Amino acid sequence: RVLFRSEVRLDGELLLNEALEASHDQALGDRELQLLTAEPRELARQTLLEVRDALIVTSDDQQQAAELLQADRNLEALQHVRQALGVWQQTQQSVLHSAQLLGIRLDDLIVQDQPVGTLVTTLTDYLMRVRQQLLAKDWLGLADTLSYEMNDAVTTWTAVIDAICQQIVAGKKK
């Protein structure tokens, strides 16, 4: 059993029971919130596994959005697109922050014959395309992007997360 010693700090000040409870629904603004734990490897691995599960669900959201767009049900589709984009943003942040926290060089990690750093750039390009299609109200183009590129991206990024998790586990054994 792994015991975690964790603490929460707001602008460097330790938040204990009452202060933590009183601060839980306040906007951060320019303040810095730190969550510190004695087991960063396990925290990163668990976060990535949760993101991986969310990505698998996102694949369904993307497909539903594409089908709704093709049926000219744009408002309904946009709800699914919004959910999917939130998961993609979380995925990017979780991968980048976990790698940074653990000192994993993404360009040294190869998935599907490409450095993960290149895959990050490709994903960013896909997300920019989705944004441009949303702004241009190019619903059929958006449906295609969601059905093909973004669906392939789910497969790629679940593999990326698996590779990082394997690296985390391997790092524990050293």
Side-chain angles (χ1 to χ4, degrees):
R1 190 176 108 156
V2 177
L3 295 176
F4 290 98
R5 184 188 65 80
S6 60
E7 57 186 50
V8 178
R9 293 182 178 270
L10 184 61
D11 291 331
E13 184 178 321
L14 181 64
L15 296 179
L16 297 175
N17 301 328
E18 296 84 25
L20 183 59
E21 190 67 31
S23 300
H24 84 280
D25 61 352
Q26 293 180 1
L28 288 177
D30 291 333
R31 298 182 295 172
E32 179 181 8
L33 181 68
Q34 295 175 310
L35 304 173
L36 307 171
T37 180
E39 290 289 330
R41 297 182 91 68
E42 186 59 23
L43 177 64
R45 190 179 78 79
Q46 286 299 323
T47 299
L48 290 170
L49 291 174
E50 289 174 17
V51 166
R52 183 185 188 281
D53 291 344
L55 267 180
I56 292 168
V57 172
T58 293
S59 180
D60 291 338
D61 276 332
Q62 290 173 176
Q63 194 58 45
Q64 287 180 328
E67 291 169 8
L68 289 167
L69 288 167
Q70 291 166 341
D72 205 23
R73 294 168 53 192
N74 302 339
L75 287 178
E76 287 178 73
L78 292 178
Q79 292 173 339
H80 293 284
V81 171
R82 190 175 308 115
Q83 288 173 321
L85 290 176
V87 171
W88 280 112
Q89 181 179 18
Q90 184 182 15
T91 299
Q92 277 186 313
Q93 290 176 353
S94 296
V95 166
L96 295 174
H97 290 146
S98 295
Q100 183 181 24
L101 174 69
L102 302 176
I104 297 172
R105 290 182 31 91
L106 294 178
D107 283 329
D108 292 344
L109 190 59
I110 306 297
V111 174
Q112 298 178 346
D113 298 324
Q114 294 186 59
V116 171
T118 300
L119 297 173
V120 169
T121 301
T122 301
L123 178 59
T124 301
D125 292 345
Y126 288 161
L127 294 174
M128 289 301 296
R129 184 175 313 143
V130 167
R131 181 178 182 269
Q132 291 166 349
Q133 289 166 331
L134 283 167
L135 291 173
K137 296 182 180 179
D138 177 7
W139 307 128
L140 293 179
L142 179 57
D144 286 346
T145 299
L146 293 171
S147 290
Y148 301 108
E149 287 93 346
M150 295 306 292
N151 193 47
D152 291 345
V154 169
T155 302
T156 299
W157 281 85
T158 54
V160 166
I161 290 170
D162 287 344
I164 294 171
C165 287
Q166 288 171 0
Q167 185 131 2
I168 291 170
V169 170
K172 286 183 184 180
K173 295 177 183 177
K174 292 181 182 180

